[in-house]
Amino acid sequence: ADALFAFGKSDLNAISVAGRQSLDNLINRIKDEYVTVNSMRIMGHADPLGHAPANDKLSTERALTIRNYLLANGLQGTRIDSEGRGSREPVVTTCPAIPTPTSIACNQPNRRVVVEITGAARQ
């Protein structure tokens, strides 16, 4: 599941409508499709605009925001680890490097979290 964040933001209100829907769909799928969830790993990402240390911090905060959202919405008791990956793993690499409205919009897919789930699926 990908949750898209606004530029330079990491709080719950900065998640796009599509990102929030993706998270809600993920929670429902986990409840419906898994007998047990052994663990979840959340990796936060930032776009390459700005300085690497700030992007590292931002990506860590994004991962924590999603972790807290999942825990608050029905996944209590699940082992959920989170980590920031900064801007080292972009999914879009063709955006301009200077922060302009165009490059900020182009980089939106890079401002995301990725959730990996380990568990037993229902048969």
Side-chain angles (χ1 to χ4, degrees):
D2 293 336
L4 305 176
F5 285 85
F7 180 70
K9 304 286 183 183
S10 62
D11 62 288
L12 191 58
N13 293 328
I15 298 173
S16 68
V17 173
R20 181 87 54 124
Q21 185 61 50
S22 178
L23 289 171
D24 292 341
N25 290 342
L26 173 66
I27 292 166
N28 290 331
R29 285 185 57 208
I30 291 168
K31 290 177 181 179
D32 292 343
E33 297 177 15
Y34 284 84
V35 176
T36 58
V37 175
N38 298 330
S39 66
M40 296 176 70
R41 189 169 86 172
I42 302 171
M43 292 147 295
H45 296 271
D47 65 36
L49 303 174
H51 299 289
N55 285 340
D56 288 343
K57 181 178 184 237
L58 192 58
S59 67
T60 298
E61 291 170 351
R62 287 176 174 160
L64 286 171
T65 295
I66 300 309
R67 180 185 184 277
N68 292 337
Y69 185 84
L70 296 176
L71 288 172
N73 287 281
L75 298 179
Q76 303 88 349
T78 303
R79 181 178 155 220
I80 303 177
D81 298 318
S82 62
E83 66 181 87
R85 298 264 175 107
S87 57
R88 292 178 291 280
E89 300 173 5
V91 293
V92 177
T93 59
T94 57
C95 303
I98 298 170
T100 65
T102 300
S103 65
I104 289 169
C106 179
N107 272 293
Q108 186 172 9
N110 294 323
R111 298 186 295 274
R112 71 196 191 284
V113 296
V114 177
V115 179
E116 291 181 352
I117 303 166
T118 304
R122 295 187 193 279
Q123 295 291 331

